[in-house]
């Protein structure tokens, strides 16, 4: 008999779980709706996840409503407090909410080249994982291990931020603590445990506020105001004390050159000549300042004549048709042309320059900061140690050359291996390049390494080319990182940035001078040298590392609980 000829009674008997004569409508006082449909829309995991992401996005540029960062985690923390996560596929929805935040904050990654849109989506998708992971681990701590939310949430958040700063080459831009870079008294705790300490405090306050509200059978309570007040009082008290510790002593006068060159791929010879001419003009403008600067700093890769060096046993490249000695002489001639600029200007230079080292059958490419004395002598050269994934190198591109065809940068650049210091007007300076200023541990490790060698720098100088991002909010996010690095290391932090923001930041994190957005400027920094000790430089990341260890313990406890439930 076909299904079209079944009677109504036979159809009911054919459907499992429905007795003959039973009504399909729910009886009074009961509900047969799925749990996710009974939960009000605004209380579901997806809605709360997106609410927190929207608030946190608004706390960062372009809006920059930084007080919202203290409220943004509250919707996520309400999910941690609930006995059961509401809504359908809650962790999937939280991943989508995290992805929405990162796509919005990192929208500028699509600007340099059409291919970088792939990296924008891929990076956002990876970073989005941390939001559901934060909720899941915090729920294990609160619901299974009975930890108080005000301790569990900041511990998990801090541990995950440390992991994020190291995994897959590391990414720490738009960290929670960075949003508070203008609250100078608050961010002084960065010299204890890095910007992770600032994020810990912000999450602690949010957890206190989230703990006040009623959830399930828990009533509204005021007790969380006590730890909130104690935490803020202690942190701000420490900040006021640290700011009054020292005035510093006079240091060198440094001119930070900011041209305005919207960067594409600088292969056009005419375009390169225009870049060189613009920065040469800015150099002359800087030298008209009274008193005369002790150092001129050109941003990353803005000195367009490359620095070419070779080893004694060099084998010339195939395109060279002369002898090895003639090749060495040609490289020496080009080096002398670079030295001539310093001799002509009669002032030391720190140049953002492309460098190439020719060896016996090999050539290594570097993104470098080259110091040149006023007599033209080539001094220490810093080669960037942390190339940007897919921006400056493609993994395994040298082993599999076909990968180079997928990227506008080809095989990319090689990594530097050491951090030199150079002296100007009685002060020691150390350079870093571009996104290296976004990684707390990298700058801290460089300072600690130089301290161990008896060459601790007095000033940190960042050379960057943000012309790739066409004046977008990337400039603001990058500047935030420089502010936190200054406080963490207790060093003046100078930024020479193409298209902005060039900046003079003191050791307390004050932005004393700042260049314009997408325009030319010479920023003169009359640096004062700070003699205060940084415990973050001494200790490193072990406080945040303890939080990461706590995350591992929570993950193990959750795994064991899940295994018991399925046994």
């Amino acid at each position: 008999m076909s299904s079209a000829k079944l009677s109504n009674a036979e159809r009911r008997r054919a459907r499992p779980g429905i007795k003959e004569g039973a009504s399909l409508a729910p009886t009074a006082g009961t509900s047969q709706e799925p749990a996710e449909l009974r939960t009000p829309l605004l209380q579901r995991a997806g809605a709360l996840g997106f609410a927190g992401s929207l608030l946190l996005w608004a706390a960062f540029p372009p809006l920059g409503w930084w007080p919202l960062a203290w409220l943004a985690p509250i919707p996520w923390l309400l999910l941690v407090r609930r006995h059961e996560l509401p809504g359908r596929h809650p962790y999937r929805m939280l991943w989508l909410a995290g992805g929405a935040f990162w796509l919005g904050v990192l929208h500028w990654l699509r600007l340099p080249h059409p291919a970088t849109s792939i990296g924008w989506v891929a990076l956002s998708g990876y970073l989005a994982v941390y939001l559901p992971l934060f909720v899941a681990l915090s729920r294990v701590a609160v619901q299974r291990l009975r930890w108080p939310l005000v301790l569990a949430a900041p511990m998990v958040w801090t541990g995950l931020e440390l992991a994020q700063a190291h995994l897959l080459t590391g990414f720490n831009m738009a960290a929670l603590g960075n949003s508070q870079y203008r609250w100078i008294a608050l961010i002084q705790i960065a010299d204890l445990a890095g910007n992770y300490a600032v994020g810990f405090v912000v999450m602690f306050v949010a957890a206190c506020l989230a703990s006040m509200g009623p959830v399930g059978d828990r009533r509204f309570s005021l007790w969380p105001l006590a730890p909130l007040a104690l935490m803020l009082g202690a942190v701000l008290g420490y900040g006021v004390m640290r700011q009054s510790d020292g005035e510093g002593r006079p240091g060198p006068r440094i001119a930070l050159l900011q041209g305005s060159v919207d960067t594409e791929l600088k292969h056009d010879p005419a375009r390169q000549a225009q870049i060189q001419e613009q920065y040469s003009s800015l150099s002359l403008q800087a030298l008209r300042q009274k008193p005369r600067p002790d150092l001129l700093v050109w941003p990353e890769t803005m000195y367009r004549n490359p620095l070419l060096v070779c080893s004694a046993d060099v084998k010339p490249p195939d395109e060279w048709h002369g002898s090895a000695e003639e090749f060495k002489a040609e490289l020496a001639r080009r080096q002398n042309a670079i030295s001539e600029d310093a001799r002509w200007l009669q002032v030391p230079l720190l140049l953002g320059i492309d460098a190439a080292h020719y060896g016996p059958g090999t050539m290594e490419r570097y993104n470098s900061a080259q110091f040149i004395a006023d007599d033209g002598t080539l001094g220490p050269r810093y080669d960037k140690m942390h190339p940007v994934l897919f921006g400056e190198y493609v993994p395994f591109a040298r082993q599999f050359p076909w990968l180079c065809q997928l990227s506008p940068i080809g095989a990319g650049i090689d990594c530097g291996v050491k951090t030199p210091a150079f002296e100007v007007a009685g002060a020691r300076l150390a350079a870093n390049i571009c996104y290296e200023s976004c990684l707390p541990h990298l700058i801290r490790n460089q300072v600690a390494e130089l301290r161990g060698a008896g060459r601790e720098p007095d000033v940190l100088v960042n050379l960057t080319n943000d012309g790739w991002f066409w004046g977008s909010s990337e400039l603001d996010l990058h500047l935030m990182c420089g502010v936190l690095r200054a406080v963490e290391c207790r060093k003046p932090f100078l930024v020479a940035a193409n298209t902005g923001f060039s900046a003079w930041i003191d050791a307390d994190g004050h932005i004393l001078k700042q260049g314009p957005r997408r325009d030319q400027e010479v920023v003169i920094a009359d640096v004062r040298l700070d003699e205060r000790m940084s415990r973050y430089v001494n200790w490193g990341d072990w406080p945040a590392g303890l939080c990461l260890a706590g995350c591992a313990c929570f993950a193990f406890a959750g795994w064991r609980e899940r295994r018991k439930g399925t046994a």
Side-chain angles (χ1 to χ4, degrees), residues 241-253:
M241 178 192 70
R242 287 297 275 166
Q243 289 182 82
S244 62
D245 276 353
E247 295 291 331
R249 55 187 174 86
R253 188 166 221 239

Side-chain angles (χ1 to χ4, degrees), residues 267-288:
H267 300 315
D268 181 4
R271 179 72 166 168
Q272 295 187 34
Q274 292 172 4
I275 295 171
Q276 192 80 5
E277 180 180 352
Q278 181 178 118
Y279 277 91
S280 296
S281 176
L282 288 169
S283 297
L284 295 175
Q285 179 182 334
L287 294 179
R288 289 193 289 268

Side-chain angles (χ1 to χ4, degrees), residues 153-163 196-197 199-201 543-544 547-548 551:
M155 173 182 284
V156 172
W157 186 270
T158 302
L160 293 179
E161 277 199 344
L162 180 64
Y196 308 111
F200 184 98
V201 172
C547 295
L548 183 57
C551 291

Side-chain angles (χ1 to χ4, degrees), residues 76-82 134-135 138-139 142-143 149:
W76 307 331
L77 297 171
L78 294 178
L79 292 174
V80 174
R81 292 187 66 199
R82 295 183 67 112
F134 164 70
V135 172
S138 298
R139 284 181 57 80
V142 172
Q143 302 294 342
L149 181 68

Side-chain angles (χ1 to χ4, degrees), residues 92-311:
R92 185 184 304 174
M93 297 304 298
L94 287 171
W95 177 77
L96 291 174
F101 167 75
W102 288 109
L103 285 171
V105 167
L106 304 181
H107 72 94
W108 37 267
L109 278 174
R110 60 191 168 80
L111 299 176
H113 188 275
T116 60
S117 294
I118 301 173
W120 169 49
V121 175
L123 179 60
S124 298
Y126 155 66
L127 295 173
V129 170
Y130 287 93
L131 177 55
L133 194 57
F134 164 70
V135 172
L137 294 178
S138 298
R139 284 181 57 80
V140 171
V142 172
Q143 302 294 342
R144 299 289 183 265
L145 304 180
R146 302 303 178 188
W147 277 52
L149 181 68
V150 296
L151 293 181
M155 173 182 284
V156 172
W157 186 270
T158 302
L160 293 179
E161 277 199 344
L162 180 64
Q164 181 181 312
H166 286 79
L167 294 177
L168 299 182
T169 76
F171 190 88
N172 197 245
M173 185 176 274
L176 183 60
N178 289 8
S179 64
Q180 307 302 303
Y181 78 112
R182 297 267 187 197
W183 194 348
I184 300 300
L186 178 79
I187 66 174
Q188 299 310 302
I189 58 171
D191 74 350
L192 296 176
N195 71 338
Y196 308 111
V198 184
F200 184 98
V201 172
V202 174
M203 184 57 72
F204 181 91
V205 171
C208 289
L209 295 175
S211 297
M212 294 173 63
V215 171
D217 57 355
R218 302 173 188 173
R219 297 182 178 180
F220 179 84
S221 58
L222 293 176
W223 70 263
L225 291 179
L228 185 155
L230 287 173
M231 174 64 81
L232 284 182
V235 168
L236 296 178
Y238 177 83
V240 171
M241 178 192 70
R242 287 297 275 166
Q243 289 182 82
S244 62
D245 276 353
E247 295 291 331
R249 55 187 174 86
R253 188 166 221 239
I254 300 175
L256 308 169
L257 309 185
Q258 177 180 310
S260 182
V261 181
D262 290 325
T263 310
E264 295 170 355
L265 290 173
K266 301 180 290 292
H267 300 315
D268 181 4
R271 179 72 166 168
Q272 295 187 34
Q274 292 172 4
I275 295 171
Q276 192 80 5
E277 180 180 352
Q278 181 178 118
Y279 277 91
S280 296
S281 176
L282 288 169
S283 297
L284 295 175
Q285 179 182 334
L287 294 179
R288 289 193 289 268
Q289 300 286 330
K290 302 297 181 183
R292 184 183 174 94
D294 298 306
L295 176 70
L296 304 185
V297 183
W298 289 44
E300 174 192 18
T301 69
M302 288 297 103
Y303 191 88
R304 292 311 305 150
N305 296 324
L307 175 66
L308 307 177
V309 296
C310 64
S311 58

